Amino acid sequence: MERIDLHLLNLTTPKPSEDGGSLSTTYPPGQFVEDEFYRQGETGELILWAPVVGASTKSTTRTRTELRETLANGNLYNWRMDSADHHWLQTSVVVREVPEPSGETVVSQIHVKDSSRPMLKVSYDDGKIIVGFRAEFDQVDPIDTTILSNVPLNTRLALSVHLTATGQLSISASYTLNGARVDGKAQLTAYPSWNPRLLYFKFGVYNQQSPSSTTPADTGSLATYWKASIRHE
């Protein structure tokens, strides 16, 4: 199997950094230290673990092990909707564990620079694939759409996010059950308030549960990524 190209990505994990935040590895591009949060399997798949109890970024108490697109030199890459006709994030992922009791982890995002309110989150939530979407920039609450239900853990999912220069957004998810393909899709529109904003793709596991004094150390999100492709064309 062809290995996932890591040279245009950085990595954020719940490992504490010197300033108490999460650890982001950007140099040298594509070379990340393997530890309990991140490792590569023998055939190139990425195994990502994010315990609920761990370091988080300054804007949230929720933990993540996520990869984010960068330039070849490791600097962050941000783009506008109209910078290319088509923007794609395509992944093949197996969600193996989710945090208890929430049961929810985010596996794909279109985030926005200088805001904690992303355009898009695609979540695995107790067997559902849920699309959380903000049609307007800085919209307080996203609108959730369930595109698949009854998806068992340890199921290989094909996920695709496609955003056009004019704001047309398509999200699709599919898997095979008993030899039959099961598909789900959402067609959405991003309003012009997004046009000047700087966006970027992320994927991985991002717990939708904050830690408490009683949170077990072994609860969190575990996923295996077999494919990850980002394109702007």
Side-chain angles (χ1 to χ4, degrees):
M1 175 183 170
E2 183 179 354
R3 290 181 179 270
I4 295 171
D5 185 0
L6 300 173
H7 288 84
L8 297 177
L9 298 166
N10 72 15
L11 174 68
T12 299
T13 75
K15 180 179 179 180
S17 61
E18 293 181 359
D19 64 2
S22 288
L23 177 69
S24 287
T25 303
T26 55
Y27 294 99
Q31 297 182 30
F32 310 126
V33 176
E34 295 196 14
D35 55 20
E36 63 181 302
F37 309 117
Y38 163 89
R39 61 188 176 91
Q40 289 196 34
E42 293 182 357
T43 57
E45 69 273 21
L46 304 183
I47 302 165
L48 307 180
W49 162 248
V52 171
V53 178
S56 63
T57 56
K58 295 177 180 178
S59 63
T60 182
T61 59
R62 297 173 176 176
T63 58
R64 71 191 76 201
T65 296
E66 285 187 309
L67 294 121
R68 183 237 205 261
E69 60 182 324
T70 68
L71 298 170
N73 63 4
N75 291 340
L76 301 181
Y77 178 51
N78 305 305
W79 42 271
R80 288 172 38 139
M81 283 198 306
D82 61 1
S83 64
D85 290 337
H86 303 278
H87 309 276
W88 296 90
L89 169 61
Q90 295 174 306
T91 60
S92 176
V93 58
V94 177
V95 178
R96 303 195 183 279
E97 295 180 31
V98 288
E100 297 298 338
S102 75
E104 182 179 6
T105 189
V106 173
V107 294
S108 299
Q109 294 193 62
I110 301 177
H111 220 299
V112 56
K113 186 176 184 293
D114 299 326
S115 174
S116 60
R117 297 172 177 171
M119 175 190 286
L120 176 74
K121 288 182 179 179
V122 181
S123 302
Y124 180 96
D125 185 357
D126 272 337
K128 298 178 181 178
I129 304 302
I130 297 178
V131 172
F133 174 64
R134 289 179 169 90
E136 295 276 10
F137 169 70
D138 217 26
Q139 181 177 318
V140 175
D141 295 314
I143 301 300
D144 289 343
T145 303
T146 299
I147 61 173
L148 285 176
S149 299
N150 303 316
V151 181
L153 288 171
N154 300 304
T155 298
R156 187 158 170 170
L157 279 164
L159 297 174
S160 175
V161 175
H162 175 211
L163 177 66
T164 72
T166 58
Q168 301 308 301
L169 180 62
S170 302
I171 304 96
S172 63
S174 65
Y175 67 99
T176 300
L177 180 65
N178 298 326
R181 177 167 162 153
V182 183
D183 293 283
K185 182 177 287 190
Q187 301 280 358
L188 305 163
T189 300
Y191 293 165
S193 60
W194 285 106
N195 285 335
R197 305 300 168 181
L198 295 176
L199 307 173
Y200 55 94
F201 285 125
K202 301 178 79 174
F203 67 93
V205 285
Y206 175 23
N207 292 310
Q208 297 303 285
Q209 177 174 314
S210 297
S212 71
S213 60
T214 60
T215 301
D218 61 351
T219 192
S221 298
L222 176 66
T224 301
Y225 278 83
W226 296 90
K227 172 187 175 181
S229 172
I230 294 174
R231 306 194 316 274
H232 306 278
E233 55 193 28

